[in-house]
Structure formats: C-alpha cells, structure tokens
Amino acid sequence: MLFIEGLLDRDELVAAGAAVPETPKLANLVSGGKTPMLPRRELHEIGYAIVLYANAALQAAVRGTQEVMSALRADGDLSGVTDRLATFTERQRLVRKERFDKIDSTYAG
C-alpha cells in the first residue's frame, strides 16, 4: 500500500495518480487542509475512484454547536436557532429509541 499525503494543487493530484497506475486511488480531502477541494466529478476524471471528505461532518457539527450555544448564551433561549436543530422526532429516530424501547420491554422484569 502506498500513501501520498498533502498534495498542494491539481497538478500534484494528477501526478500522484499517474505515478500509481492500475490501482484504485483515494483522495482524502479535509476542508482547510493542504489538498485542494476539487469537485468529486473532476477527481473521478483524473483517476480517483474514492473521495473521502474527512472530518466534514465533524467540522459541520462543531460549527453548528458553536452557533447554537452562542445564541443560547446571548439570547437565553433557542428561539433564534430552532431551524438549526433536528426535530425531537428525528433525534429519536437517529438514536433508534423505538428499538431500545422494544429491547427494554423484552428484558424488563
């Protein structure tokens, strides 16, 4: 396995891809990192089969958390940021609450 990290521009992405022919190539992109955030279609065109948007969800969660907590501190409530919150129903679905309720009822004494 070969890893080439920290490519700085499109030309380096092309050169790295060409240096490793006949194998699937993976681009690991981090917003704010060294490697440019080329569109997925363009990366595919220059030979990358897999694209990871590493930390994108984490970075979004951090930003959202900061915005919501800042509003809560400034306003004393969440009324100005409810559009950035998952609904209670969505939260319950994501944590699979119904499944755990069934497990609880199965094993409850």
Side-chain angles (χ1 to χ4, degrees):
M1 202 175 301
L2 173 67
F3 295 96
I4 303 172
E5 291 284 336
L7 302 172
L8 301 177
D9 57 37
R10 185 185 190 284
D11 291 340
E12 286 189 2
L13 281 159
V14 171
V20 205
E22 308 296 324
T23 187
K25 286 166 258 321
L26 176 146
N28 184 25
L29 305 179
V30 177
S31 181
K34 293 179 181 180
T35 305
M37 300 285 288
L38 299 180
R40 186 178 63 211
R41 183 177 352 145
E42 186 174 352
L43 287 162
H44 178 69
E45 289 169 0
I46 62 174
Y48 289 83
I50 303 165
V51 182
L52 301 180
Y53 293 92
N55 294 311
L58 174 61
Q59 287 174 288
V62 167
R63 168 65 59 86
T65 300
Q66 289 172 326
E67 289 175 0
V68 169
M69 292 294 106
S70 291
L72 182 58
R73 180 181 357 185
D75 303 336
D77 63 45
L78 298 173
S79 61
V81 291
T82 55
D83 62 322
R84 295 186 211 147
L85 303 176
T87 65
F88 185 75
T89 301
E90 178 66 359
R91 181 250 183 225
Q92 297 297 74
R93 185 189 70 76
L94 287 171
V95 299
R96 301 184 330 194
K97 174 83 166 64
E98 188 175 301
R99 178 175 181 249
F100 287 101
D101 285 347
K102 286 179 184 175
I103 291 170
D104 187 51
S105 67
T106 299
Y107 296 103

